[in-house]
Amino acid sequence: MTGARDGIFSLVDGGTEPPVTERKAESPAKAKGLMEEIIDPENLKEALKRVKANKGSAGVDRMKVDELTDYLRKHWPDLRDQLLSGTYKPQPVLRVEISKPAGGIRKLGIPVVVDRWIQQAVMQVLQGIWDRIFSEHSYGFRPNRSARQAVGRAQEHLAAGYTWVVDLDLEKFFDRVNHDKLMGQLAKRITDKRVLKLIRAFLNAGVMEKGLVSPIDEGTPQGGPLSPLLSNIVLDELDRELERRGHRFVRYADDCNIYVRSERSGKRVMESITNFINKKLKLKVNSEKSAVDRPWERKFLGFSFTAEEPHQRRIAPKAVERFKGRVRDLTRRTQGLSFEDMVTKLTVYLRGWHGYFSFCQTPIVLQDLDGWIRRKFRCFIWKQWKRGRTRYKELRRRGVNEFLAARTAGSPHGPWRLSRSPALHVAFPNAFFDGIGLFRLVLGR
C-alpha cells in the first residue's frame, strides 16, 4: 500500500511521482487491466486538474471542489482498494433544474466531487479507446472537434446541393438512454468487468431530489464528466446506420441534421430513421421539434444559413433574441451596480459570445447589435439623470450646443426614443464607449 499512498500524495501535493520502476513492479504493463490504467497516477493527476478547473457545485455530501485534495490524502488507499476490487459505490447525484435558453427546464444531476473525479479519470481512458472509432460526422464532446466545425461541415453539404435538412430532435435524450443497450455497447470493447461494473454503478446511483433518493433504471444524468462520452457511444450506432445508408449528415451530441436533395427524400428519411431510433436505439424522436425543412428555416448550434447562394453562415434569429435577453438582464438598473461595473460585467459576456458567433458571415448583424448595445447604455444614462435640469447641464458639459441640449432635455419623448437623438450621440459617441472598455462585436479588441 505504500506505493499507492505515495502516488496519491505526489498527485495531490504537486510533488514528483513515484519512480517508474516502482509503478511497473506494482502493475506490469502486460498484466495491467483497464482499471489499472484508470488509477494510474498520471491519469488521476490530469483528472484532478480538470475537476478543479471546472469547479462546479457540491453534490449530496456538500463537499466542495477545493476540499477534494485533503479528502484524497486521507481516503485514497481505501478508494483505490474499492476500485481495484470492483466494490466502489458512487453516491446519488443531486438533481438541480436550470432554465433552457429557449424556454423550459433542463434537469441536471450533480455527482459528488469524488465521483466527478473518478468519472473524469474513467472518461479520459475510455475517450482514448472510443474516439479513434467514432464517425467523422460526429463533433460533440470530442477532442479537437467543435460546434464551429460541425456548422462548417453542414455548410459544405448545402454548397454541394443538399439543400433540404432532416432536423432530428431526440426527446429527453439523456433521460431515456437504455442502460442495457449502453452496457452492451461498452462490453464490446471493455473486457475489464470491474470497469463495466463501475459504469453500471454510476448509471444506477440514483437521484436525490427534495431530500429523497429515487432509483434510476434508464438515462445518464447530465452533469457528470462521463455522460457526454456515454451519449456519443449510444449514438455511434446511429452514425454507423446513417453512414451505411450513404447519407450526408452532421451530429453534435443529440443534435443531428441529415442533408438531402429534395423534400420528398427528406420525408422518406425522416420516417425510416425515426423508426430506427425508436426500435433499435430505444429512444424517442420529438415529432414537434423535428422537421424536414430548408436549412435557412432551421437553426443548428445557434447558426442558420442565408437562402441565397452561396449559403452563408448567419446567426439564427432565436440566438439573437437570447443574446438581447441576456444583455437586458446584465444592464438592468435594479442590479445596484455602478455604470463602470456594469460595462465590465457585460464585456465579459460579450467576449465569450463573440468568440463563438464571430464565425458568422453576415457581420451586419454584429454591427446592428453593437449599435443596439450602445443605445441601451445611452438610454440607461438618460434615465439616471432623471430631471430636465440635470439632463440639460450634463449635455452641455459633454459638448452639446445650448439649443440642442435644451430641446432634448425638455422633450416629452421617452428614454428609449431619445437614446437615438443627435444630442446623446454627441454626448456619448462611439469613442466614449471604446474609452470605457466596452467590447465591440465588430472589430472587437
PDB file of all heavy atoms in Angstrom, residues 292-305:
ATOM      1  N   VAL A 292     -38.664  18.289 -41.577  1.00  0.00           N
ATOM      2  CA  VAL A 292     -37.987  18.315 -42.877  1.00  0.00           C
ATOM      3  C   VAL A 292     -38.216  19.710 -43.437  1.00  0.00           C
ATOM      4  O   VAL A 292     -39.355  20.122 -43.661  1.00  0.00           O
ATOM      5  CB  VAL A 292     -38.562  17.244 -43.829  1.00  0.00           C
ATOM      6  CG1 VAL A 292     -37.907  17.357 -45.204  1.00  0.00           C
ATOM      7  CG2 VAL A 292     -38.377  15.847 -43.250  1.00  0.00           C
ATOM      8  N   ASP A 293     -37.156  20.454 -43.627  1.00  0.00           N
ATOM      9  CA  ASP A 293     -37.313  21.860 -43.998  1.00  0.00           C
ATOM     10  C   ASP A 293     -36.059  22.345 -44.702  1.00  0.00           C
ATOM     11  O   ASP A 293     -35.069  21.625 -44.836  1.00  0.00           O
ATOM     12  CB  ASP A 293     -37.565  22.700 -42.726  1.00  0.00           C
ATOM     13  CG  ASP A 293     -38.355  23.973 -43.010  1.00  0.00           C
ATOM     14  OD1 ASP A 293     -38.416  24.396 -44.184  1.00  0.00           O
ATOM     15  OD2 ASP A 293     -38.897  24.542 -42.050  1.00  0.00           O
ATOM     16  N   ARG A 294     -36.115  23.598 -45.146  1.00  0.00           N
ATOM     17  CA  ARG A 294     -34.936  24.234 -45.692  1.00  0.00           C
ATOM     18  C   ARG A 294     -33.995  24.612 -44.551  1.00  0.00           C
ATOM     19  O   ARG A 294     -34.459  25.069 -43.493  1.00  0.00           O
ATOM     20  CB  ARG A 294     -35.320  25.484 -46.470  1.00  0.00           C
ATOM     21  CG  ARG A 294     -36.136  25.227 -47.730  1.00  0.00           C
ATOM     22  CD  ARG A 294     -35.290  24.538 -48.784  1.00  0.00           C
ATOM     23  NE  ARG A 294     -35.918  24.628 -50.104  1.00  0.00           N
ATOM     24  CZ  ARG A 294     -35.382  24.163 -51.228  1.00  0.00           C
ATOM     25  NH1 ARG A 294     -34.198  23.553 -51.170  1.00  0.00           N
ATOM     26  NH2 ARG A 294     -35.997  24.273 -52.370  1.00  0.00           N
ATOM     27  N   PRO A 295     -32.700  24.444 -44.721  1.00  0.00           N
ATOM     28  CA  PRO A 295     -31.761  24.764 -43.636  1.00  0.00           C
ATOM     29  C   PRO A 295     -31.840  26.202 -43.157  1.00  0.00           C
ATOM     30  O   PRO A 295     -31.574  26.481 -41.983  1.00  0.00           O
ATOM     31  CB  PRO A 295     -30.392  24.456 -44.257  1.00  0.00           C
ATOM     32  CG  PRO A 295     -30.673  23.447 -45.321  1.00  0.00           C
ATOM     33  CD  PRO A 295     -32.024  23.827 -45.869  1.00  0.00           C
ATOM     34  N   TRP A 296     -32.193  27.130 -44.047  1.00  0.00           N
ATOM     35  CA  TRP A 296     -32.282  28.530 -43.619  1.00  0.00           C
ATOM     36  C   TRP A 296     -33.543  28.825 -42.820  1.00  0.00           C
ATOM     37  O   TRP A 296     -33.696  29.906 -42.275  1.00  0.00           O
ATOM     38  CB  TRP A 296     -32.190  29.465 -44.831  1.00  0.00           C
ATOM     39  CG  TRP A 296     -32.975  29.041 -46.040  1.00  0.00           C
ATOM     40  CD1 TRP A 296     -34.266  29.351 -46.340  1.00  0.00           C
ATOM     41  CD2 TRP A 296     -32.495  28.216 -47.105  1.00  0.00           C
ATOM     42  NE1 TRP A 296     -34.629  28.781 -47.520  1.00  0.00           N
ATOM     43  CE2 TRP A 296     -33.558  28.081 -48.028  1.00  0.00           C
ATOM     44  CE3 TRP A 296     -31.276  27.592 -47.376  1.00  0.00           C
ATOM     45  CZ2 TRP A 296     -33.426  27.333 -49.207  1.00  0.00           C
ATOM     46  CZ3 TRP A 296     -31.153  26.858 -48.534  1.00  0.00           C
ATOM     47  CH2 TRP A 296     -32.218  26.737 -49.433  1.00  0.00           C
ATOM     48  N   GLU A 297     -34.435  27.849 -42.736  1.00  0.00           N
ATOM     49  CA  GLU A 297     -35.617  27.989 -41.889  1.00  0.00           C
ATOM     50  C   GLU A 297     -35.418  27.322 -40.524  1.00  0.00           C
ATOM     51  O   GLU A 297     -36.284  27.394 -39.663  1.00  0.00           O
ATOM     52  CB  GLU A 297     -36.840  27.372 -42.573  1.00  0.00           C
ATOM     53  CG  GLU A 297     -37.231  28.027 -43.887  1.00  0.00           C
ATOM     54  CD  GLU A 297     -37.695  29.457 -43.714  1.00  0.00           C
ATOM     55  OE1 GLU A 297     -38.143  29.814 -42.605  1.00  0.00           O
ATOM     56  OE2 GLU A 297     -37.608  30.234 -44.695  1.00  0.00           O
ATOM     57  N   ARG A 298     -34.293  26.647 -40.348  1.00  0.00           N
ATOM     58  CA  ARG A 298     -33.989  25.961 -39.102  1.00  0.00           C
ATOM     59  C   ARG A 298     -32.731  26.541 -38.479  1.00  0.00           C
ATOM     60  O   ARG A 298     -32.010  27.325 -39.111  1.00  0.00           O
ATOM     61  CB  ARG A 298     -33.760  24.454 -39.363  1.00  0.00           C
ATOM     62  CG  ARG A 298     -34.853  23.768 -40.140  1.00  0.00           C
ATOM     63  CD  ARG A 298     -36.140  23.684 -39.359  1.00  0.00           C
ATOM     64  NE  ARG A 298     -36.035  22.774 -38.214  1.00  0.00           N
ATOM     65  CZ  ARG A 298     -37.036  22.536 -37.374  1.00  0.00           C
ATOM     66  NH1 ARG A 298     -38.201  23.151 -37.528  1.00  0.00           N
ATOM     67  NH2 ARG A 298     -36.866  21.705 -36.360  1.00  0.00           N
ATOM     68  N   LYS A 299     -32.449  26.156 -37.259  1.00  0.00           N
ATOM     69  CA  LYS A 299     -31.204  26.565 -36.605  1.00  0.00           C
ATOM     70  C   LYS A 299     -30.420  25.319 -36.216  1.00  0.00           C
ATOM     71  O   LYS A 299     -30.998  24.272 -35.918  1.00  0.00           O
ATOM     72  CB  LYS A 299     -31.468  27.428 -35.378  1.00  0.00           C
ATOM     73  CG  LYS A 299     -32.164  26.735 -34.225  1.00  0.00           C
ATOM     74  CD  LYS A 299     -32.350  27.685 -33.056  1.00  0.00           C
ATOM     75  CE  LYS A 299     -33.068  26.994 -31.889  1.00  0.00           C
ATOM     76  NZ  LYS A 299     -32.250  25.958 -31.234  1.00  0.00           N
ATOM     77  N   PHE A 300     -29.096  25.463 -36.249  1.00  0.00           N
ATOM     78  CA  PHE A 300     -28.223  24.351 -35.884  1.00  0.00           C
ATOM     79  C   PHE A 300     -27.065  24.916 -35.075  1.00  0.00           C
ATOM     80  O   PHE A 300     -26.263  25.699 -35.583  1.00  0.00           O
ATOM     81  CB  PHE A 300     -27.712  23.643 -37.144  1.00  0.00           C
ATOM     82  CG  PHE A 300     -26.814  22.466 -36.872  1.00  0.00           C
ATOM     83  CD1 PHE A 300     -27.204  21.449 -36.010  1.00  0.00           C
ATOM     84  CD2 PHE A 300     -25.574  22.353 -37.489  1.00  0.00           C
ATOM     85  CE1 PHE A 300     -26.379  20.352 -35.760  1.00  0.00           C
ATOM     86  CE2 PHE A 300     -24.744  21.265 -37.248  1.00  0.00           C
ATOM     87  CZ  PHE A 300     -25.152  20.266 -36.387  1.00  0.00           C
ATOM     88  N   LEU A 301     -27.040  24.578 -33.787  1.00  0.00           N
ATOM     89  CA  LEU A 301     -25.982  25.042 -32.881  1.00  0.00           C
ATOM     90  C   LEU A 301     -25.883  26.561 -32.854  1.00  0.00           C
ATOM     91  O   LEU A 301     -24.801  27.135 -32.774  1.00  0.00           O
ATOM     92  CB  LEU A 301     -24.640  24.420 -33.291  1.00  0.00           C
ATOM     93  CG  LEU A 301     -24.613  22.887 -33.321  1.00  0.00           C
ATOM     94  CD1 LEU A 301     -23.279  22.380 -33.841  1.00  0.00           C
ATOM     95  CD2 LEU A 301     -24.906  22.310 -31.945  1.00  0.00           C
ATOM     96  N   GLY A 302     -27.044  27.218 -32.917  1.00  0.00           N
ATOM     97  CA  GLY A 302     -27.093  28.677 -32.829  1.00  0.00           C
ATOM     98  C   GLY A 302     -26.954  29.386 -34.153  1.00  0.00           C
ATOM     99  O   GLY A 302     -27.122  30.612 -34.226  1.00  0.00           O
ATOM    100  N   PHE A 303     -26.664  28.646 -35.224  1.00  0.00           N
ATOM    101  CA  PHE A 303     -26.481  29.238 -36.536  1.00  0.00           C
ATOM    102  C   PHE A 303     -27.597  28.822 -37.487  1.00  0.00           C
ATOM    103  O   PHE A 303     -28.303  27.842 -37.269  1.00  0.00           O
ATOM    104  CB  PHE A 303     -25.134  28.812 -37.147  1.00  0.00           C
ATOM    105  CG  PHE A 303     -23.946  29.471 -36.512  1.00  0.00           C
ATOM    106  CD1 PHE A 303     -23.299  28.872 -35.434  1.00  0.00           C
ATOM    107  CD2 PHE A 303     -23.461  30.681 -36.978  1.00  0.00           C
ATOM    108  CE1 PHE A 303     -22.197  29.461 -34.845  1.00  0.00           C
ATOM    109  CE2 PHE A 303     -22.357  31.285 -36.400  1.00  0.00           C
ATOM    110  CZ  PHE A 303     -21.715  30.673 -35.332  1.00  0.00           C
ATOM    111  N   SER A 304     -27.727  29.587 -38.557  1.00  0.00           N
ATOM    112  CA  SER A 304     -28.574  29.219 -39.674  1.00  0.00           C
ATOM    113  C   SER A 304     -27.796  29.598 -40.935  1.00  0.00           C
ATOM    114  O   SER A 304     -26.592  29.865 -40.862  1.00  0.00           O
ATOM    115  CB  SER A 304     -29.923  29.934 -39.596  1.00  0.00           C
ATOM    116  OG  SER A 304     -30.785  29.455 -40.605  1.00  0.00           O
ATOM    117  N   PHE A 305     -28.489  29.644 -42.076  1.00  0.00           N
ATOM    118  CA  PHE A 305     -27.814  29.963 -43.331  1.00  0.00           C
ATOM    119  C   PHE A 305     -28.690  30.896 -44.160  1.00  0.00           C
ATOM    120  O   PHE A 305     -29.917  30.932 -44.000  1.00  0.00           O
ATOM    121  CB  PHE A 305     -27.511  28.684 -44.128  1.00  0.00           C
ATOM    122  CG  PHE A 305     -26.674  27.698 -43.383  1.00  0.00           C
ATOM    123  CD1 PHE A 305     -27.262  26.674 -42.647  1.00  0.00           C
ATOM    124  CD2 PHE A 305     -25.296  27.798 -43.377  1.00  0.00           C
ATOM    125  CE1 PHE A 305     -26.497  25.765 -41.938  1.00  0.00           C
ATOM    126  CE2 PHE A 305     -24.515  26.904 -42.670  1.00  0.00           C
ATOM    127  CZ  PHE A 305     -25.113  25.884 -41.947  1.00  0.00           C
TER     128      PHE A 305
END
